Amino acid sequence: MSQILSLEHYAIHIGPIADLLSPFLRNKSYSQYFILVDENTQRDCLPILLSQIPLLQSANIIDISSGEINKNLPTCQHIWASLIEQQADRKSLIINLGGGVIGDMGGFVASTYKRGIDFIQIPTTLLSQVDASIGGKLGIDFMDLKNIIGLFNNPQGVFIDIAFLKTLPFREIRSGYAEILKHALIADANYWQKLTTIQDLSSVQWEEIILASLQIKKQVVEADPFEKGYRKVLNFGHTIGHAIESWSLKHDTKPLLHGEAIALGMIVETELSCLHQSLSLSAKEEIQDQIKALYPKYTVSVDIFKELIVLMKNDKKNETDLINFTLLADIGESAYNVELSAVIVKDVLEILV
């Protein structure tokens, strides 16, 4: 059964891709189709898409290497060059088939090629389905800083088919689930309590969970489309999580996935919430125990605290020398623009040692 979540400028379609995308394309008149894939989605997801949508069988395929480490300017140059070589004009459509990296970078490239051509998102990971599919935030990493170059621009549509989740390893499912936990913690205590009953991620009915998370993010984004204020509640877990993720990408042979880093960030920022907001000790322990039960331990050395602090201060959300956080006042209630000193943050990082 298909569902539509309507936003101001586009809609998110949830259901079988053949039922969703074919009518959309028939109502448009694009000169060419370009499908952006990485080696994983080219192998696992592209055959599904092409078999379901015959119109796309003549599409131009642009392939890139997977992973956050490749979300950079050289990869953008490769995509732009491919568009030029294949004579993409302003009536072309880019179809971003993949996870958050594909969606972020494909949207960024489309928005800057010939001052902007249309693109749609077909998110194939749980993370991208519940998080990156709403909000119009596009960008790439630069100088070890996540999403430091980018812009806001909306796709023509988002098409979510949970069939693509069957192509994912468990680690990717668990990574995406971190953002689902975050949505509940910042906005909906009842939703959080429901999530705490889930013990096995392999048996979840994802349609219901994805829709519930998207509805939370929709409410937040529509209230603050350009992240001037309230939308910052979505950053819970991300100030510290992004710093750890950036460090891991640079130094670990097997870097943390985004959601794994955000889970660590939520553990630490829950601690800060208890110390510097009104989150109770019992709520703090409930949150941390739930996250620790789902995600593997990752030890952070005291030796890298200084580097993590530098990464946090370089975060684009910071506007002073202090570090800007979104914290929890309670489960389901968040407080944004909480500024804390580096000394306070360093002390709390000790819980990851």
Side-chain angles (χ1 to χ4, degrees):
M1 179 178 168
S2 300
Q3 299 188 71
I4 297 177
L5 192 62
S6 296
L7 287 83
E8 184 178 359
H9 298 294
Y10 64 99
I12 299 175
H13 307 260
I14 306 170
I17 195 72
D19 298 342
L20 305 177
L21 188 53
S22 292
F24 171 86
L25 294 176
R26 282 198 299 267
N27 289 330
K28 301 284 186 176
S29 55
Y30 290 111
S31 59
Q32 288 190 81
Y33 300 110
F34 293 84
I35 305 175
L36 182 64
V37 294
D38 61 27
E39 71 276 10
N40 298 314
T41 55
Q42 185 166 27
R43 179 189 66 235
D44 298 328
C45 302
L46 184 61
I48 297 172
L49 179 65
L50 297 183
S51 67
Q52 298 289 323
I53 314 291
L55 184 62
L56 294 179
Q57 290 177 1
S58 60
N60 302 288
I61 309 302
I62 301 176
D63 61 290
I64 63 172
S65 296
S66 63
E68 187 78 23
I69 197 169
N70 294 302
K71 196 170 82 173
N72 53 30
L73 274 174
T75 306
C76 290
Q77 289 175 322
H78 163 69
I79 302 170
W80 283 319
S82 297
L83 292 170
I84 292 170
E85 289 165 4
Q86 297 177 79
Q87 299 180 324
D89 59 28
R90 296 188 69 181
K91 292 183 178 179
S92 299
L93 175 72
I94 293 182
I95 299 170
N96 298 317
L97 181 68
V101 170
I102 289 277
D104 279 357
M105 188 159 43
F108 175 74
V109 165
S111 300
T112 49
Y113 180 75
K114 295 196 172 182
R115 296 193 176 91
I117 62 175
D118 284 358
F119 66 97
I120 62 171
Q121 308 285 35
I122 304 180
T124 59
T125 64
L126 182 59
L127 177 64
S128 58
Q129 289 184 355
V130 300
D131 187 59
S133 57
I134 289 184
K137 289 170 75 171
L138 309 167
I140 58 170
D141 305 340
F142 186 67
M143 294 180 65
D144 301 322
L145 298 173
K146 277 183 61 66
N147 302 320
I148 198 71
I149 297 175
L151 63 141
F152 289 91
N153 194 24
N154 291 314
Q156 294 299 301
V158 177
F159 301 86
I160 294 175
D161 187 341
I162 65 161
F164 290 122
L165 299 183
K166 297 174 184 176
T167 69
L168 297 176
F170 174 75
R171 190 180 172 204
E172 287 283 355
I173 294 289
R174 186 178 60 193
S175 174
Y177 191 64
E179 292 287 353
I180 291 172
L181 293 173
K182 179 201 74 176
H183 289 150
L185 286 169
I186 65 171
D188 192 332
N190 290 331
Y191 186 33
W192 167 259
Q193 291 305 319
K194 180 178 180 179
L195 294 178
T196 60
T197 66
I198 296 174
Q199 304 298 324
D200 180 8
L201 295 182
S202 65
S203 60
V204 173
Q205 297 297 311
W206 287 115
E207 296 99 327
E208 182 182 354
I209 297 292
I210 289 169
L211 182 60
S213 274
L214 287 174
Q215 286 170 333
I216 290 173
K217 186 163 185 182
K218 174 182 184 288
Q219 293 168 0
V220 173
V221 168
E222 289 189 335
D224 180 17
F226 298 110
E227 203 173 32
K228 301 298 184 184
Y230 177 60
R231 182 168 171 171
K232 293 178 183 178
V233 300
L234 294 168
N235 295 326
F236 175 63
H238 284 60
T239 300
I240 289 171
H242 271 170
I244 294 173
E245 183 182 6
S246 294
W247 189 92
S248 178
L249 282 167
K250 188 176 180 181
H251 297 283
D252 288 340
T253 53
K254 189 177 181 181
L256 289 168
L257 298 178
H258 174 76
E260 294 169 337
I262 297 312
L264 293 168
M266 288 193 291
I267 289 171
V268 182
E269 293 179 26
T270 295
E271 193 78 19
L272 286 171
S273 299
C274 189
L275 294 170
H276 299 283
Q277 289 294 307
S278 55
L279 186 71
S280 68
L281 179 62
S282 61
K284 180 200 84 165
E285 291 174 346
E286 177 184 330
I287 294 165
Q288 291 178 334
D289 289 348
Q290 182 72 13
I291 295 172
K292 288 176 181 178
L294 287 166
Y295 294 87
K297 183 175 175 58
Y298 180 86
T299 301
V300 174
S301 168
V302 174
D303 297 338
I304 72 166
F305 282 7
K306 185 175 180 181
E307 189 173 348
L308 292 178
I309 293 295
V310 170
L311 287 166
M312 289 179 218
K313 284 187 173 182
N314 279 329
D315 191 293
K316 56 193 176 299
K317 294 180 285 292
N318 290 322
E319 296 171 6
T320 70
D321 191 48
L322 298 171
I323 301 172
N324 192 300
F325 286 91
T326 289
L327 300 179
L328 300 177
D330 198 355
I331 293 176
E333 297 179 25
S334 42
Y336 61 91
N337 285 344
V338 180
E339 294 186 319
L340 300 174
S341 70
V343 173
I344 288 172
V345 179
K346 276 185 182 178
D347 287 345
V348 179
L349 284 172
E350 294 279 353
I351 69 172
L352 294 180
V353 174

